[in-house]
Amino acid sequence: METYVMRVWLPDRPGALGAVASRIGAVRGDVVGIDILETGAGIAVDELVVRLPQESLIDLVVAEVHEVDGVTVEDVRPVGEAGGDPRLDALETAAMICGADTMEELLRALVVHGGCTLGAEWTSVVDLVAGAVWATSGTAPNEAWLSAFVRGARASGDDQAMGAEDVAWAPLPGVDLALVAGRSGTPFRAKERRQVAALARVAGTRAREVGRDRSWRAHPSASMAPGH
């Protein structure tokens, strides 16, 4: 079986999702997961995890789904054998971040595994003060662009600086770093932007813990001082 994630726009009305699932089933496809990314103005943006008996059926599935009134397929991408469960992916990434013993391990888990969880083509961690890139995965924009993007986003209080809908960012609280993720042609929806922020919060918390642990290891007697 081949597994795909299909992002669809459909009318936010009873029966629309059932009609899409029925069309997929008509060509021997099986919907094994649904993730609602965004709703508003009578439209829902959903990601469906679809299993097909063979790759050659994907074009037929897309054509069938387009037959449902008001439905548009935005994107289709293959996923690995694990099946693309976003909740499990997020938990596994958080576990890797929390289990990191060094900043290098932590940032590597964030950009590599976090990027996969977010469906990003590239992921970077940027220093909010110096603008330097601390870690990156995939073919990210250069340091100057990333630094400018984060500065613009912070100044505007927006997570879509310079109108870049296919880039999302969030600060790592307490450590003057930011997580930036991007991909080509597929905007980050509201739920995905919340996921970026959640991963950044987890990473920020662990980064502060790693920093305190490093300080304690350098000065172990501090923990024995009065008041500690």
Side-chain angles (χ1 to χ4, degrees), residues 60-135:
L60 180 57
V61 167
V62 171
E64 284 289 328
V65 170
H66 276 142
E67 290 296 317
V68 180
D69 186 39
V71 174
T72 300
V73 177
E74 179 183 282
D75 181 58
V76 181
R77 66 180 187 274
V79 296
E81 295 180 359
D85 185 330
R87 288 170 294 188
L88 179 58
D89 291 345
L91 284 172
E92 289 179 339
T93 297
M96 291 178 184
I97 292 171
C98 291
D101 292 323
T102 66
M103 279 295 290
E104 182 179 8
E105 290 178 11
L106 188 161
L107 297 181
R108 185 68 179 168
L110 182 59
V111 298
V112 175
H113 299 285
C116 290
T117 296
L118 298 168
E121 294 177 4
W122 57 265
T123 320
S124 297
V125 174
V126 181
D127 190 313
L128 291 174
V129 177
V133 175
W134 282 37

Side-chain angles (χ1 to χ4, degrees), residues 147-209:
S147 179
F149 174 86
V150 173
R151 284 199 309 270
R154 295 181 76 194
S156 66
D158 192 1
D159 60 2
Q160 294 182 24
M162 299 180 288
E165 293 185 346
D166 52 359
V167 182
W169 85 287
L172 278 61
V175 291
D176 288 328
L177 299 175
L179 171 64
V180 188
R183 60 194 179 204
S184 300
T186 305
F188 284 91
R189 298 298 169 187
K191 184 174 183 178
E192 294 173 303
R193 292 181 183 276
R194 292 197 299 270
Q195 290 173 332
V196 172
L199 282 177
R201 288 197 301 272
V202 172
T205 298
R206 183 56 185 153
R208 295 195 300 274
E209 292 171 349

